[in-house]
Amino acid sequence: MFRLRTPRRALCAVAAALLLPLFAGLAGATAPAHAADTPGAGYWHTSGRQILDAAGQPVRIAGINWFGFETANHVVHGLWSRDYKSMIDQMRSLGYNTIRLPYSDDIFKSATVPDSIDFSNGKNADLQGLNSLQVMDRIVAYAGKDGLKVILDRHRPDAAGQSALWYTSSVPESTWIADLKALAARYATDPTVIGIDLHNEPHDPACWGCGDTAVDWRLAAQRAGNAVLSVNPDLLIFVEGVQTYNGVSGWWGGNLMGAGRYPVQLSVPNRVVYSAHDYATSVAQQSWFSDPAFPANMPGVWDAYWGYLFKQNIAPVWVGEFGTTLASTVDQKWLAALVSYLRPTSASGADSFQWTFWSWNPDSGDTGGILKDDWATVDTVKDGYLASIKAPLFPSTGGSGGGGGGGGTAPSCSASYAVSSDWGSGFNAAVTVTNTGSTAIRSWTVTWTWSGSQQVTTMWNASYTQSGATVTAVNASHNGAIAAGGSVGFGFGGAPGGGGVPTLTCAAA
């Protein structure tokens, strides 16, 4: 049932002399301002190094990879254990605002059907009888209703494994482009899907800017990107790097050294987002991990491979994958350094690197996931590393996201509580806070009293105090502002399990 992710192999040579020049006088960090309307509505576009929503407000992708459509299961993993809606609710409660969904071209074949979905006790009931694309439709629709965005990732040409180039003998370029266009058309009226990652982790012999159409990934990305935009000109086009440029190698898909000299040029302006992947020693060794200056050397490495594109205001940069088991001290230092490099939201707001962590799934063989092996318990240590770079959720596609003008009613909110898993000795729950007034709110407090002996053991995306059976939860810095009609969430673990759902009260300011 479990399918481990294929470990990467990468060459590992870099010299400090190859570091690319950076903009002197990079703009300093500015504190984020909470607009009356929650940013994120509609389709998005780029402006310099930022991504902007339809109203021109800057947004930050702060998300998670949920894989499985690219494997022989032909559907996201974990549905053998849980309902897909409870998983998305939990992602939302943890503060992830975007889901990257890897897939393979197999899901477009008429004979492809998902397997390993549990329908017992009402789980995943509305997925019965659906093919893989139809299941993807349901996931996209529910994610949008929850205020999450989706990036579709062409991860593999087929379920057998990753490919160095965007085509293989059995999946030619024409099929790749036709399937990309089919996805663009399928979600053309739903801005929950903000863009497509054209191909996962191009690597040797893929080149950037060499001019050979058989292996030049930059030229292929232009052909595919323009094909996608011919169907939906509003989508973002996410373009990963290669492995080797001018003799300097790194992670598969992680080398964007050539993008400054040879940019991806599309028929629709302001649509390109460059994407890098970066990993720790649980995936593979690289020369920089044994540098005596580690981890202080890492910002220079990232600047050279991909960070310069952001720092020189050339284009937004999205770290589409990064992850680790955190088993070694080196990996712990690496993740702390990378999170700092990606720019904390509290200091820089949406003027930051974009990111989606690898992965939600615990069954990634070389990184593990945010969830532990029971597919329910959160690895709070790993999730905790990401707390400073999480960002606000986006307006739900299922309700109004409009902000109120002058003369609105007093701020008001409501809160709902759902148990996502209960194993007797403990449980996880998600709380959704909704702005029920006609004006934006700046902060909220949720209170409840249990009838039993339950105690909060951990909480994410909110802080709490507990006195006896009464719990008071207060918003985190990144999710206090809620537009009229909008919602945010937080989650927690508690013990023991088996308790009833309490009555919640919500106060807004």
Side-chain angles (χ1 to χ4, degrees):
M1 181 175 293
F2 292 100
R3 187 177 186 89
L4 298 183
R5 188 166 190 266
T6 305
R8 299 164 186 77
R9 298 179 303 276
L11 299 177
C12 52
V14 65
L18 291 170
L19 299 184
L20 300 178
L22 302 179
F23 238 39
L26 173 66
T30 56
H34 294 299
D37 294 318
T38 304
Y43 282 106
W44 297 357
H45 60 282
T46 69
S47 177
R49 69 188 191 182
Q50 291 191 322
I51 299 177
L52 308 179
D53 68 8
Q57 298 184 91
V59 292
R60 185 177 200 181
I61 297 167
I64 195 79
N65 284 270
W66 187 12
F67 69 81
F69 278 109
E70 82 283 15
T71 72
N73 296 104
H74 302 118
V75 72
V76 287
H77 286 184
L79 302 191
W80 52 68
S81 178
R82 292 178 58 187
D83 184 88
Y84 77 97
K85 294 179 181 177
S86 75
M87 294 253 249
I88 295 172
D89 287 344
Q90 190 176 20
M91 294 174 195
R92 181 184 192 281
S93 76
L94 287 167
Y96 298 104
N97 64 23
T98 304
I99 305 172
R100 179 176 181 255
L101 281 180
Y103 71 88
S104 84
D105 292 76
D106 280 352
I107 67 173
F108 296 91
K109 298 175 181 177
S110 58
T112 299
V113 293
D115 61 22
S116 302
I117 300 178
D118 182 8
F119 299 112
S120 67
N121 300 315
K123 290 193 293 290
N124 302 302
D126 60 336
L127 304 185
Q128 293 194 65
L130 303 185
N131 63 32
S132 294
L133 280 171
Q134 290 168 332
V135 172
M136 183 179 283
D137 292 343
R138 296 295 174 91
I139 289 171
V140 167
Y142 194 79
K145 182 179 178 182
D146 251 6
L148 279 67
K149 295 292 188 178
V150 172
I151 298 169
L152 302 175
D153 156 46
R154 196 284 192 135
H155 207 76
R156 300 173 175 176
D158 55 50
Q162 293 178 231
S163 61
L165 300 174
W166 54 96
Y167 63 90
T168 64
S169 58
S170 58
V171 183
E173 178 174 307
S174 58
T175 298
W176 171 57
I177 289 179
D179 291 345
L180 289 170
K181 291 175 67 176
L183 281 180
R186 192 176 191 93
Y187 300 111
T189 60
D190 186 356
T192 297
V193 177
I194 55 171
I196 301 178
D197 187 345
L198 297 177
H199 178 62
N200 184 65
E201 296 185 348
H203 53 277
D204 296 346
C207 67
W208 190 291
C210 66
D212 182 346
T213 56
V215 293
D216 192 329
W217 166 235
R218 175 249 188 179
L219 295 179
Q222 290 184 168
R223 294 192 296 273
N226 283 329
V228 168
L229 293 172
S230 72
V231 176
N232 183 355
D234 293 318
L235 288 174
L236 294 175
I237 304 299
F238 295 91
V239 182
E240 298 187 28
V242 291
Q243 179 183 355
T244 303
Y245 178 76
N246 279 354
V248 180
S249 295
W251 297 111
W252 290 0
N255 190 334
L256 284 159
M257 289 178 171
R261 182 177 179 183
Y262 301 105
V264 172
Q265 298 175 318
L266 299 177
S267 56
V268 181
N270 303 318
R271 293 294 180 269
V272 176
V273 178
Y274 291 111
S275 175
H277 290 186
D278 201 272
Y279 279 97
T281 63
S282 65
V283 173
Q285 285 290 337
Q286 297 280 12
S287 59
W288 42 82
F289 296 128
S290 57
D291 187 322
F294 179 85
N297 64 317
M298 292 310 303
V301 173
W302 293 320
D303 285 347
Y305 278 94
W306 42 268
Y308 76 97
L309 293 164
F310 174 86
K311 292 187 175 183
Q312 295 183 20
N313 202 37
I314 294 171
V317 175
W318 169 54
V319 185
E321 292 185 19
F322 64 105
T324 167
T325 60
L326 285 180
S328 72
T329 301
V330 169
D331 286 22
Q332 294 161 16
K333 291 180 178 179
W334 165 85
L335 184 55
L338 180 56
V339 165
S340 177
Y341 183 83
L342 295 180
R343 297 165 64 93
T345 303
S346 61
S348 300
D351 184 25
S352 303
F353 290 94
Q354 320 287 327
W355 59 272
T356 45
F357 188 74
W358 188 278
S359 63
W360 180 247
N361 309 46
D363 60 328
S364 177
D366 45 15
T367 66
I370 290 297
L371 293 186
K372 296 187 177 182
D373 287 343
D374 63 1
W375 280 96
T377 305
V378 175
D379 185 331
T380 55
V381 174
K382 191 176 290 187
D383 182 66
Y385 273 88
L386 307 174
S388 68
I389 56 173
K390 290 180 180 177
L393 290 157
F394 305 117
S396 167
T397 59
S400 169
T409 59
S412 62
C413 61
S414 65
S416 60
Y417 174 119
V419 176
S420 54
S421 58
D422 190 325
W423 54 95
S425 61
F427 68 101
N428 286 326
V431 177
T432 300
V433 182
T434 300
N435 182 347
T436 55
S438 60
T439 58
I441 61 177
R442 299 185 305 275
S443 62
W444 46 262
T445 301
V446 176
T447 305
W448 67 88
T449 300
W450 278 308
S451 59
S453 59
Q454 282 72 30
Q455 295 283 317
V456 174
T457 56
T458 185
M459 184 173 288
W460 46 93
N461 293 310
S463 58
Y464 77 96
T465 57
Q466 182 166 355
S467 176
T470 300
V471 179
T472 301
V474 179
N475 62 271
S477 60
H478 66 269
N479 65 356
I482 313 176
S487 299
V488 299
F490 66 94
F492 64 90
V501 175
T503 300
L504 277 63
T505 60
C506 186

